[in-house]
Amino acid sequence: MTRTIHPDFADRVAAHQRTGRGALRIPYPIGVCTVPVVARTDLTPFMVRLELNGPDLARFHSYQADDHVKIVFPDEDGTWRRPVRNGNQMLDWPHPMPLTRDYTVRRYTGETLVLDIVLHEGGIAAEWARTAQVGEEVTVAGPPGGKAFPYTHDHYVLAVDSTGLPAAARWLEEAPAGPGVHLVVEVDDPVEHDYPLPSRDGVEIVRLVRDGTGSALAATVSGLAVPDDTFLFAAGEAGDIKPLRTWPKDMASITGYWKRGVAGLERE
């Protein structure tokens, strides 16, 4: 795998956000750190916030809403097989690959890394998050760099399910004021709409709850009355957001965060 990592990667992200068009993937040096949980907050019955802080975060990079990391889990016998940095600004992973799961960076302050994790039934990652306590160490790999998208459009549509809420919330928190925003959120349980969102002028929130007949996310987005210069950020279950891939590619960032029936989907 070849990745060209420019030494000014942070400036390139900022420049694209300020003056670019469309989504642009900008790679970072991929790091790995092991740090303790310093705070735990139950945001809803289905979402927990874990705050991580420690000296190992000193070389961590995160600059955009689509950034994600891998949490590395120990083997069933408790053995940790962590990746290590190599000379190509990437990671060497042990074989076989340890169990990992991807999570969005909700916030990174330069000292504290915040992860908001969906609690679903089954799965080692969800079960770990359900019981993770302050003081427990967590191994985090990444981010590898995400898809930066600009703040230059007249309007934005953020179309997400519960897994995409942290990315949408980060964008609402960090994007400059000005453009109007439609935030369309689809969840399985109404209580998930209690997830805390940043206060921001010009945001219209459309709250959907699945009724067992399939997803209404894509159809709802397609029915919105929006200006021509509207950028779409869509993140969630791969099949639910697939119909939105007809959106002009230079006006969209669309990523399947998970897929029904597939464990550990690599983001696509």
Side-chain angles (χ1 to χ4, degrees):
M1 178 179 178
T2 301
R3 301 169 78 246
T4 301
I5 302 172
H6 296 272
D8 59 344
F9 54 88
D11 292 337
R12 288 165 63 87
V13 173
H16 186 71
Q17 290 172 332
R18 187 173 59 251
T19 63
R21 301 290 289 183
L24 179 65
R25 189 177 295 279
I26 299 174
Y28 316 152
I30 304 178
V32 59
C33 57
T34 299
V35 288
V37 176
V38 297
R40 174 194 171 94
T41 307
D42 293 322
L43 301 177
T44 76
F46 300 98
M47 183 86 79
V48 64
R49 172 168 293 172
L50 299 180
E51 299 181 37
L52 314 178
N53 188 304
D56 228 12
L57 283 172
R59 290 187 285 175
F60 191 86
H61 302 282
S62 183
Y63 308 100
Q64 53 202 337
D66 194 49
D67 279 344
H68 69 281
V69 296
K70 290 184 181 297
I71 292 181
V72 184
F73 295 97
D75 296 337
E76 290 185 3
D77 64 1
T79 302
W80 285 97
R81 295 184 299 114
R82 300 176 174 96
V84 295
R85 292 182 175 92
N86 62 31
N88 298 317
Q89 302 187 66
M90 296 177 64
L91 299 179
D92 290 329
W93 288 85
H95 297 284
M97 182 85 170
L99 181 65
T100 66
R101 290 292 184 268
D102 289 354
Y103 290 104
T104 299
V105 176
R106 170 60 185 87
R107 184 184 298 122
Y108 177 60
T109 65
E111 296 180 351
T112 301
L113 170 62
V114 178
L115 303 176
D116 292 349
I117 299 175
V118 175
L119 302 176
H120 57 80
E121 291 300 322
I124 187 171
E127 294 307 313
W128 165 79
R130 199 182 304 277
T131 60
Q133 297 299 316
V134 171
E136 184 172 339
E137 288 197 330
V138 181
T139 295
V140 176
K147 289 183 285 187
F149 53 95
Y151 300 138
T152 57
H153 295 277
D154 293 342
H155 194 83
Y156 291 82
V157 173
L158 312 178
V160 300
D161 63 12
S162 54
T163 65
L165 268 171
R170 181 174 180 181
W171 189 91
L172 292 172
E173 189 171 82
E174 296 182 352
V181 180
H182 277 89
L183 171 60
V184 185
V185 184
E186 185 173 57
V187 298
D188 289 321
D189 190 298
V191 74
E192 295 179 85
H193 285 304
D194 292 339
Y195 178 83
L197 293 168
S199 177
R200 179 187 173 95
D201 292 337
V203 179
E204 180 177 341
I205 303 176
V206 181
R207 296 179 172 89
L208 306 173
V209 179
R210 294 185 187 90
D211 61 4
T213 61
S215 173
L217 185 64
T220 300
V221 170
S222 298
L224 295 174
V226 296
D228 290 340
D229 186 28
T230 294
F231 189 93
L232 170 67
F233 172 75
E237 200 281 327
D240 292 348
I241 64 174
K242 184 177 179 179
L244 295 174
R245 293 189 181 275
T246 59
W247 204 279
K249 288 186 177 180
D250 62 345
M251 299 284 285
S253 174
I254 301 172
T255 306
Y257 279 6
W258 65 286
K259 191 171 186 177
R260 289 183 183 87
V262 177
L265 177 75
E266 291 290 330
R267 294 190 174 193
E268 59 183 30

